[in-house]
Amino acid sequence: MEDGNGGQNLPTKTLDSDLDPNLQKKHQSMLDRLSARHQTRLDSSLTRLDSSLTRRSDLSNSSESTSSFLSRFSDSKRSIESQLAESRQIASSDPARLKSHLDDISSSISELEKLVAENSYFLPSYEVRSSLKTISDLRQNVESLTAELVPKKKFTFKNKATAKKEPPKELEIEKSNSVSTKTSNNFVIRDSPGFRNKANEIFEKKFRGSDIGEFTLSDLDSCEVRLSGCFDALFINRLKNCRIYSGPVTGSVLIEDVEDCIFVLASHQIRIHLAKRSDFYLRVRSRPIIEDSNGVRFAPYCLEYQGIEDELEAAGLGEETGNWANVDDFKWLRAVQSPNWCLLLENERVEKVYVANLETGNEGS
Amino acid sequence: MGLLSIIRKIKRKEKEMRILMVGLDNSGKTTIVMKINGEDTSVISPTLGFNIKTITYQKYTLNIWDVGGQRTIRSYWRNYFEQTDGLVWVVDSSDLRRLDDCKMELDNLLKEERLSGASLLILANKQDIKGALTPTEIAKVLNLEAMDKTRHWKIVGCSAYTGEGLLEGFDWLVQDIASRIYVLD
């Protein structure tokens, strides 16, 4: 210390000697400050050490906080679940409040997620995983509820969105629905021919001459539909518990949102979206595809009526290509078999379906 | 020399155009490409992924990217936006129910900056089907008049089944791109 001062003292020689004690004082205060800093550093590292020691030694304490976390977690989970259960009621009694109610649920889920994150450093990894799983399940519930309850389109059965499994996209789609109804209001689109909004009925239609074009089946519940003769395109939308038998479609068939149905179809292209628990008996020139579907089963075409062979031939569907079994699942882009569909075993298939030759069918509405 | 001008120079030399075909599933994109290329259109499966076709059209080489339209894979469209000279939006004119979907997807696409310079051809496909909307009606539903004024666009009715209208549409598209990118000779 004296040495260090020596260097500094040299120039001070030229200064007045009464400044010297002053300088000494300054020097002393600096030393004091330095040692004070050192002390605080020591102190803080000690406390750090201390706290880490307590943490390590107090394992019992940590398990206790695990259990307290778990009880907090399950409390909030329960309250969120009850809120979720309420929302259905709110949707019917007070739809205006529904939006904010659902938002509240979402924010409590986020809160819960934060809780997990904050406590994750001491939680056993199993608890972290299962908590996160619970949270994502809750999210899924909210999302499907939102999709189910929020879009209030007229004349719509409510189960459309429940089958969808892409939450972020759903929001976009719903937004677009509300926006776009406006555009279609500006411009009234004529209805295409078809059977719509019916329950517990049997429909028949034979396509001839000027009838031939596209045809729509939508919003049918527990109906049977028999279509014969060639036609250009078939659109199927929102069917429940129906049986659809169709002669050859020269263009494509587009199926969306069906549940517990049986389809017997022949077409050049077949696309199946949002189908649940349904059987498809197909003759198809290209590979049929499914998307967002599950529990769907496939078998070869089995429809019979007078003249069907000629009609199939004329539509280019005379030969069995075997493509009914070559299903592409757009939600399962892997080499292993998709869990969403399977082939119908022979003993599970329906017998050949005979539909009487329909000379005069009731016209599509 | 900027990158863009280098690319332009290379393209000018080879007279190449990159064309992106998009639209909802079942609108007939692949069938259109096959038909233009003179291939058999009787067995076409829904596109899982994409197809690229290089065809010589007039004195140009068209690289046509035909990208699948199923909902699951629409989010991948954006991977194909880069350096697109021409955009072909295909509409199934007989699918009245999904016109709203169609409008929404087109609107989203046109917001895309990387496509802002591309000429837009809208093909109102399936005109052969009775009950299909006319191109004029499709234009109204899609509200094409409200489009950004800087965009070069045209709507053409067509049938990939008969081939009608396809050449008219592609002629316009190729000419429009050529007049933007290449010095006409």
Side-chain angles (χ1 to χ4, degrees):
Chain A
M1 213 150 278
E2 213 55 47
D3 277 354
N5 257 347
Q8 260 186 349
N9 274 344
L10 254 166
T12 53
K13 268 189 188 160
T14 55
L15 297 170
D16 277 343
S17 60
D18 58 338
L19 267 180
D20 219 331
N22 207 351
L23 198 76
Q24 214 100 54
K25 223 168 91 193
K26 247 184 180 170
H27 186 79
Q28 191 53 49
S29 79
M30 185 154 88
L31 280 179
D32 286 349
R33 258 186 298 156
L34 275 174
S35 71
R37 247 177 86 188
H38 183 62
Q39 192 54 48
T40 49
R41 214 179 295 149
L42 264 180
D43 282 352
S44 74
S45 79
L46 261 180
T47 36
R48 225 176 301 153
L49 191 68
D50 201 43
S51 70
S52 80
L53 272 178
T54 33
R55 200 180 298 157
R56 207 165 304 158
S57 66
D58 247 349
L59 268 177
S60 59
N61 193 10
S62 108
S63 80
E64 196 184 301
S65 46
T66 301
S67 67
S68 87
F69 162 80
L70 284 179
S71 78
R72 269 174 76 191
F73 184 86
S74 66
D75 281 349
S76 340
K77 183 185 162 216
R78 232 172 289 127
S79 99
I80 289 170
E81 276 167 347
S82 71
Q83 275 178 298
L84 274 171
E86 266 169 43
S87 45
R88 216 171 273 275
Q89 217 180 347
I90 291 173
S92 53
S93 61
D94 189 5
R97 209 159 65 81
L98 181 67
K99 183 81 176 56
S100 69
H101 180 74
L102 287 170
D103 286 349
D104 285 350
I105 298 178
S106 301
S107 62
S108 10
I109 293 176
S110 304
E111 209 62 47
L112 192 58
E113 197 174 30
K114 229 170 88 192
L115 179 75
V116 178
E118 277 166 4
N119 293 286
S120 62
Y121 72 91
F122 69 78
L123 287 175
S125 67
Y126 170 77
E127 301 296 355
V128 175
R129 249 184 298 130
S130 66
S131 313
L132 290 177
K133 171 82 172 64
T134 310
I135 287 169
S136 94
D137 286 349
L138 286 171
R139 280 247 160 80
Q140 191 93 41
N141 284 344
V142 177
E143 247 127 25
S144 55
L145 256 182
T146 315
E148 189 182 322
L149 300 175
V150 173
K152 287 179 284 292
K153 283 197 297 178
K154 279 171 204 160
F155 310 119
T156 304
F157 291 116
K158 61 178 194 297
N159 61 351
K160 179 179 180 188
T162 47
K164 286 185 192 160
K165 285 275 154 66
E166 308 157 283
K169 273 190 193 158
E170 254 166 43
L171 281 174
E172 276 171 43
I173 293 156
E174 259 117 48
K175 247 188 279 163
S176 82
N177 275 348
S178 56
V179 174
S180 50
T181 34
K182 242 184 277 158
T183 62
S184 33
N185 282 348
N186 295 346
F187 176 76
V188 181
I189 297 167
R190 58 176 174 265
D191 253 350
S192 62
F195 300 123
R196 295 180 170 82
N197 302 309
K198 293 285 191 315
N200 306 307
E201 285 188 52
I202 296 180
F203 300 99
E204 296 176 346
K205 172 147 184 82
K206 179 153 182 73
F207 292 93
R208 274 174 308 191
S210 64
D211 274 354
I212 295 165
E214 95 268 43
F215 201 74
T216 301
L217 305 173
S218 95
D219 301 294
L220 302 180
D221 187 355
S222 309
C223 291
E224 180 171 319
V225 180
R226 306 163 182 170
L227 308 172
S228 61
C230 289
F231 58 109
D232 289 335
L234 178 59
F235 297 105
I236 291 174
N237 187 28
R238 289 196 295 270
L239 303 192
K240 249 190 197 171
N241 192 28
C242 289
R243 288 170 309 286
I244 311 297
Y245 307 116
S246 172
V249 179
T250 51
S252 62
V253 179
L254 184 63
I255 297 168
E256 200 164 300
D257 200 355
V258 295
E259 225 178 286
D260 302 305
C261 293
I262 294 176
F263 295 89
V264 182
L265 307 168
S267 177
H268 277 225
Q269 286 190 332
I270 296 177
R271 292 174 172 84
I272 299 162
H273 302 146
L274 301 163
K276 274 192 208 161
R277 298 180 302 275
S278 293
D279 292 347
F280 295 85
Y281 296 80
L282 306 179
R283 170 152 323 160
V284 55
R285 284 197 66 123
S286 57
R287 300 167 71 93
I289 70 121
I290 63 170
E291 191 178 36
D292 304 311
S293 299
N294 59 62
V296 294
R297 304 187 295 178
F298 292 85
Y301 194 56
C302 60
L303 190 63
E304 284 285 335
Y305 56 78
Q306 201 188 330
I308 190 169
E309 288 307 325
D310 294 341
E311 287 173 6
L312 285 169
E313 201 63 50
L317 289 161
E319 61 169 317
E320 175 55 75
T321 58
N323 268 334
W324 60 269
N326 299 328
V327 181
D328 284 327
D329 182 353
F330 275 65
K331 280 286 174 176
W332 191 263
L333 306 176
R334 294 179 222 186
V336 290
Q337 167 66 33
S338 155
N340 298 322
W341 68 275
C342 64
L343 301 181
L344 259 168
L345 297 177
E346 251 169 86
N347 58 10
E348 292 171 323
R349 295 175 191 165
V350 296
E351 299 283 304
K352 259 198 180 311
V353 180
Y354 293 93
V355 179
N357 196 16
L358 320 153
E359 273 311 314
T360 47
N362 25 353
E363 289 300 305
S365 51
Chain B
M1 191 185 286
L3 182 60
L4 196 63
S5 54
I6 295 174
I7 292 168
R8 283 203 175 137
K9 215 172 179 186
I10 294 168
K11 279 191 173 172
R12 192 177 303 145
K13 211 153 108 203
E14 296 171 1
K15 295 211 182 294
E16 249 185 35
M17 294 178 180
R18 182 175 155 124
I19 293 178
L20 179 64
M21 306 265 304
V22 273
L24 299 192
D25 48 310
N26 196 36
S27 55
K29 297 175 289 297
T30 309
T31 312
I32 287 174
V33 177
M34 303 279 254
K35 191 78 183 178
I36 283 195
N37 205 23
E39 291 174 67
D40 174 30
T41 57
S42 68
V43 183
I44 294 174
S45 294
T47 308
L48 226 176
F50 64 93
N51 308 305
I52 312 171
K53 276 261 144 64
T54 302
I55 60 179
T56 311
Y57 194 90
Q58 298 167 359
K59 55 191 174 188
Y60 302 99
T61 304
L62 308 188
N63 289 322
I64 303 184
W65 294 67
D66 159 30
V67 188
Q70 303 298 327
R71 177 159 283 151
T72 311
I73 56 178
R74 284 181 209 160
S75 52
Y76 299 104
W77 286 354
R78 70 173 94 92
N79 300 346
Y80 302 89
F81 290 165
E82 221 67 60
Q83 293 176 37
T84 294
D85 300 310
L87 187 64
V88 182
W89 180 258
V90 185
V91 183
D92 176 353
S93 313
S94 68
D95 189 355
L96 310 186
R97 184 178 67 84
R98 296 201 302 167
L99 281 172
D100 289 344
D101 259 7
C102 175
K103 176 175 168 40
M104 190 256 308
E105 294 285 0
L106 176 61
D107 288 348
N108 282 343
L109 203 65
L110 296 181
K111 280 185 215 138
E112 184 59 46
E113 204 181 331
R114 283 173 291 170
L115 294 174
S116 60
S119 307
L120 170 65
L121 170 66
I122 295 139
L123 288 175
N125 192 23
K126 306 204 185 180
Q127 291 297 318
D128 57 288
I129 295 183
K130 181 177 160 268
L133 294 185
T134 64
T136 325
E137 289 169 311
I138 297 282
K140 268 189 212 161
V141 177
L142 297 182
N143 202 12
L144 297 178
E145 289 303 330
M147 210 176 333
D148 182 4
K149 292 288 170 260
T150 59
R151 170 85 63 187
H152 295 206
W153 66 272
K154 184 181 174 74
I155 181 164
V156 174
C158 75
S159 160
Y161 183 65
T162 64
E164 204 189 320
L166 294 182
L167 291 185
E168 185 196 340
F170 274 81
D171 279 348
W172 173 82
L173 185 66
V174 168
Q175 282 314 310
D176 190 76
I177 295 169
S179 61
R180 277 192 300 113
I181 298 186
Y182 308 116
V183 185
L184 285 172
D185 41 23

PDB file of all heavy atoms in Angstrom, chain A residues 19-35:
ATOM      1  N   LEU A  19      -1.984  19.856   1.485  1.00  0.00           N
ATOM      2  CA  LEU A  19      -2.930  19.044   0.708  1.00  0.00           C
ATOM      3  C   LEU A  19      -2.744  17.555   0.993  1.00  0.00           C
ATOM      4  O   LEU A  19      -3.608  16.753   0.727  1.00  0.00           O
ATOM      5  CB  LEU A  19      -2.738  19.289  -0.794  1.00  0.00           C
ATOM      6  CG  LEU A  19      -3.612  20.371  -1.414  1.00  0.00           C
ATOM      7  CD1 LEU A  19      -3.305  20.493  -2.891  1.00  0.00           C
ATOM      8  CD2 LEU A  19      -5.091  20.091  -1.165  1.00  0.00           C
ATOM      9  N   ASP A  20      -1.572  17.249   1.482  1.00  0.00           N
ATOM     10  CA  ASP A  20      -1.232  15.846   1.656  1.00  0.00           C
ATOM     11  C   ASP A  20      -2.226  15.062   2.531  1.00  0.00           C
ATOM     12  O   ASP A  20      -2.698  14.009   2.125  1.00  0.00           O
ATOM     13  CB  ASP A  20       0.190  15.739   2.220  1.00  0.00           C
ATOM     14  CG  ASP A  20       0.932  14.593   1.589  1.00  0.00           C
ATOM     15  OD1 ASP A  20       0.229  13.602   1.193  1.00  0.00           O
ATOM     16  OD2 ASP A  20       2.143  14.653   1.487  1.00  0.00           O
ATOM     17  N   PRO A  21      -2.546  15.520   3.738  1.00  0.00           N
ATOM     18  CA  PRO A  21      -3.546  14.775   4.543  1.00  0.00           C
ATOM     19  C   PRO A  21      -4.880  14.656   3.800  1.00  0.00           C
ATOM     20  O   PRO A  21      -5.567  13.632   3.908  1.00  0.00           O
ATOM     21  CB  PRO A  21      -3.702  15.623   5.809  1.00  0.00           C
ATOM     22  CG  PRO A  21      -3.011  16.913   5.561  1.00  0.00           C
ATOM     23  CD  PRO A  21      -2.034  16.708   4.447  1.00  0.00           C
ATOM     24  N   ASN A  22      -5.164  15.698   3.052  1.00  0.00           N
ATOM     25  CA  ASN A  22      -6.411  15.656   2.259  1.00  0.00           C
ATOM     26  C   ASN A  22      -6.414  14.451   1.313  1.00  0.00           C
ATOM     27  O   ASN A  22      -7.371  13.684   1.238  1.00  0.00           O
ATOM     28  CB  ASN A  22      -6.480  16.941   1.427  1.00  0.00           C
ATOM     29  CG  ASN A  22      -7.916  17.304   1.135  1.00  0.00           C
ATOM     30  OD1 ASN A  22      -8.784  16.489   1.415  1.00  0.00           O
ATOM     31  ND2 ASN A  22      -8.144  18.476   0.584  1.00  0.00           N
ATOM     32  N   LEU A  23      -5.294  14.334   0.645  1.00  0.00           N
ATOM     33  CA  LEU A  23      -5.149  13.234  -0.305  1.00  0.00           C
ATOM     34  C   LEU A  23      -5.216  11.890   0.415  1.00  0.00           C
ATOM     35  O   LEU A  23      -5.871  10.946  -0.057  1.00  0.00           O
ATOM     36  CB  LEU A  23      -3.800  13.363  -1.016  1.00  0.00           C
ATOM     37  CG  LEU A  23      -3.694  12.566  -2.318  1.00  0.00           C
ATOM     38  CD1 LEU A  23      -4.457  13.270  -3.425  1.00  0.00           C
ATOM     39  CD2 LEU A  23      -2.233  12.404  -2.687  1.00  0.00           C
ATOM     40  N   GLN A  24      -4.565  11.858   1.544  1.00  0.00           N
ATOM     41  CA  GLN A  24      -4.590  10.624   2.329  1.00  0.00           C
ATOM     42  C   GLN A  24      -6.027  10.234   2.666  1.00  0.00           C
ATOM     43  O   GLN A  24      -6.438   9.064   2.583  1.00  0.00           O
ATOM     44  CB  GLN A  24      -3.825  10.867   3.662  1.00  0.00           C
ATOM     45  CG  GLN A  24      -3.106   9.637   4.129  1.00  0.00           C
ATOM     46  CD  GLN A  24      -1.637   9.702   3.779  1.00  0.00           C
ATOM     47  OE1 GLN A  24      -0.961  10.663   4.122  1.00  0.00           O
ATOM     48  NE2 GLN A  24      -1.148   8.690   3.093  1.00  0.00           N
ATOM     49  N   LYS A  25      -6.793  11.272   3.006  1.00  0.00           N
ATOM     50  CA  LYS A  25      -8.198  11.036   3.369  1.00  0.00           C
ATOM     51  C   LYS A  25      -8.964  10.440   2.180  1.00  0.00           C
ATOM     52  O   LYS A  25      -9.702   9.456   2.288  1.00  0.00           O
ATOM     53  CB  LYS A  25      -8.838  12.357   3.797  1.00  0.00           C
ATOM     54  CG  LYS A  25      -9.713  12.187   5.041  1.00  0.00           C
ATOM     55  CD  LYS A  25     -10.102  13.529   5.638  1.00  0.00           C
ATOM     56  CE  LYS A  25     -11.410  14.007   5.066  1.00  0.00           C
ATOM     57  NZ  LYS A  25     -11.655  15.432   5.392  1.00  0.00           N
ATOM     58  N   LYS A  26      -8.714  11.043   1.051  1.00  0.00           N
ATOM     59  CA  LYS A  26      -9.367  10.579  -0.173  1.00  0.00           C
ATOM     60  C   LYS A  26      -9.049   9.111  -0.428  1.00  0.00           C
ATOM     61  O   LYS A  26      -9.911   8.284  -0.727  1.00  0.00           O
ATOM     62  CB  LYS A  26      -8.855  11.392  -1.366  1.00  0.00           C
ATOM     63  CG  LYS A  26      -9.907  12.276  -1.990  1.00  0.00           C
ATOM     64  CD  LYS A  26      -9.275  12.926  -3.199  1.00  0.00           C
ATOM     65  CE  LYS A  26     -10.226  13.849  -3.916  1.00  0.00           C
ATOM     66  NZ  LYS A  26      -9.481  14.630  -4.924  1.00  0.00           N
ATOM     67  N   HIS A  27      -7.760   8.855  -0.278  1.00  0.00           N
ATOM     68  CA  HIS A  27      -7.277   7.508  -0.532  1.00  0.00           C
ATOM     69  C   HIS A  27      -7.950   6.528   0.403  1.00  0.00           C
ATOM     70  O   HIS A  27      -8.407   5.456  -0.015  1.00  0.00           O
ATOM     71  CB  HIS A  27      -5.766   7.497  -0.317  1.00  0.00           C
ATOM     72  CG  HIS A  27      -5.137   6.208  -0.681  1.00  0.00           C
ATOM     73  ND1 HIS A  27      -4.881   5.873  -1.990  1.00  0.00           N
ATOM     74  CD2 HIS A  27      -4.749   5.161   0.079  1.00  0.00           C
ATOM     75  CE1 HIS A  27      -4.357   4.667  -2.019  1.00  0.00           C
ATOM     76  NE2 HIS A  27      -4.264   4.213  -0.766  1.00  0.00           N
ATOM     77  N   GLN A  28      -8.033   6.939   1.679  1.00  0.00           N
ATOM     78  CA  GLN A  28      -8.630   6.067   2.669  1.00  0.00           C
ATOM     79  C   GLN A  28     -10.084   5.763   2.318  1.00  0.00           C
ATOM     80  O   GLN A  28     -10.559   4.618   2.377  1.00  0.00           O
ATOM     81  CB  GLN A  28      -8.537   6.747   4.061  1.00  0.00           C
ATOM     82  CG  GLN A  28      -8.887   5.803   5.200  1.00  0.00           C
ATOM     83  CD  GLN A  28      -8.058   4.512   5.119  1.00  0.00           C
ATOM     84  OE1 GLN A  28      -6.825   4.533   4.971  1.00  0.00           O
ATOM     85  NE2 GLN A  28      -8.734   3.363   5.154  1.00  0.00           N
ATOM     86  N   SER A  29     -10.758   6.824   1.887  1.00  0.00           N
ATOM     87  CA  SER A  29     -12.200   6.622   1.608  1.00  0.00           C
ATOM     88  C   SER A  29     -12.387   5.670   0.426  1.00  0.00           C
ATOM     89  O   SER A  29     -13.306   4.852   0.392  1.00  0.00           O
ATOM     90  CB  SER A  29     -12.882   7.962   1.316  1.00  0.00           C
ATOM     91  OG  SER A  29     -12.609   8.364   0.004  1.00  0.00           O
ATOM     92  N   MET A  30     -11.436   5.772  -0.513  1.00  0.00           N
ATOM     93  CA  MET A  30     -11.541   4.862  -1.643  1.00  0.00           C
ATOM     94  C   MET A  30     -11.351   3.428  -1.193  1.00  0.00           C
ATOM     95  O   MET A  30     -12.090   2.522  -1.594  1.00  0.00           O
ATOM     96  CB  MET A  30     -10.505   5.189  -2.713  1.00  0.00           C
ATOM     97  CG  MET A  30     -10.682   4.321  -3.942  1.00  0.00           C
ATOM     98  SD  MET A  30     -10.072   5.082  -5.393  1.00  0.00           S
ATOM     99  CE  MET A  30      -8.400   4.565  -5.361  1.00  0.00           C
ATOM    100  N   LEU A  31     -10.369   3.259  -0.325  1.00  0.00           N
ATOM    101  CA  LEU A  31     -10.123   1.906   0.183  1.00  0.00           C
ATOM    102  C   LEU A  31     -11.343   1.378   0.915  1.00  0.00           C
ATOM    103  O   LEU A  31     -11.732   0.212   0.767  1.00  0.00           O
ATOM    104  CB  LEU A  31      -8.920   1.921   1.135  1.00  0.00           C
ATOM    105  CG  LEU A  31      -7.568   1.933   0.442  1.00  0.00           C
ATOM    106  CD1 LEU A  31      -6.457   1.965   1.480  1.00  0.00           C
ATOM    107  CD2 LEU A  31      -7.429   0.701  -0.440  1.00  0.00           C
ATOM    108  N   ASP A  32     -11.951   2.271   1.670  1.00  0.00           N
ATOM    109  CA  ASP A  32     -13.151   1.866   2.409  1.00  0.00           C
ATOM    110  C   ASP A  32     -14.237   1.391   1.445  1.00  0.00           C
ATOM    111  O   ASP A  32     -14.874   0.345   1.640  1.00  0.00           O
ATOM    112  CB  ASP A  32     -13.697   3.048   3.230  1.00  0.00           C
ATOM    113  CG  ASP A  32     -12.816   3.305   4.438  1.00  0.00           C
ATOM    114  OD1 ASP A  32     -11.947   2.413   4.687  1.00  0.00           O
ATOM    115  OD2 ASP A  32     -12.963   4.351   5.076  1.00  0.00           O
ATOM    116  N   ARG A  33     -14.410   2.228   0.408  1.00  0.00           N
ATOM    117  CA  ARG A  33     -15.442   1.854  -0.554  1.00  0.00           C
ATOM    118  C   ARG A  33     -15.169   0.484  -1.177  1.00  0.00           C
ATOM    119  O   ARG A  33     -16.049  -0.350  -1.331  1.00  0.00           O
ATOM    120  CB  ARG A  33     -15.538   2.913  -1.651  1.00  0.00           C
ATOM    121  CG  ARG A  33     -16.737   3.839  -1.437  1.00  0.00           C
ATOM    122  CD  ARG A  33     -16.886   4.764  -2.588  1.00  0.00           C
ATOM    123  NE  ARG A  33     -15.706   5.616  -2.708  1.00  0.00           N
ATOM    124  CZ  ARG A  33     -15.347   6.194  -3.847  1.00  0.00           C
ATOM    125  NH1 ARG A  33     -16.028   6.002  -4.931  1.00  0.00           N
ATOM    126  NH2 ARG A  33     -14.282   6.960  -3.886  1.00  0.00           N
ATOM    127  N   LEU A  34     -13.891   0.303  -1.534  1.00  0.00           N
ATOM    128  CA  LEU A  34     -13.525  -0.977  -2.163  1.00  0.00           C
ATOM    129  C   LEU A  34     -13.801  -2.139  -1.243  1.00  0.00           C
ATOM    130  O   LEU A  34     -14.394  -3.152  -1.655  1.00  0.00           O
ATOM    131  CB  LEU A  34     -12.035  -0.966  -2.532  1.00  0.00           C
ATOM    132  CG  LEU A  34     -11.721  -0.328  -3.877  1.00  0.00           C
ATOM    133  CD1 LEU A  34     -10.220  -0.238  -4.067  1.00  0.00           C
ATOM    134  CD2 LEU A  34     -12.365  -1.150  -4.995  1.00  0.00           C
ATOM    135  N   SER A  35     -13.418  -1.991   0.006  1.00  0.00           N
ATOM    136  CA  SER A  35     -13.614  -3.115   0.914  1.00  0.00           C
ATOM    137  C   SER A  35     -15.101  -3.338   1.167  1.00  0.00           C
ATOM    138  O   SER A  35     -15.553  -4.470   1.308  1.00  0.00           O
ATOM    139  CB  SER A  35     -12.862  -2.876   2.232  1.00  0.00           C
ATOM    140  OG  SER A  35     -13.507  -1.866   2.951  1.00  0.00           O
TER     141      SER A  35
END
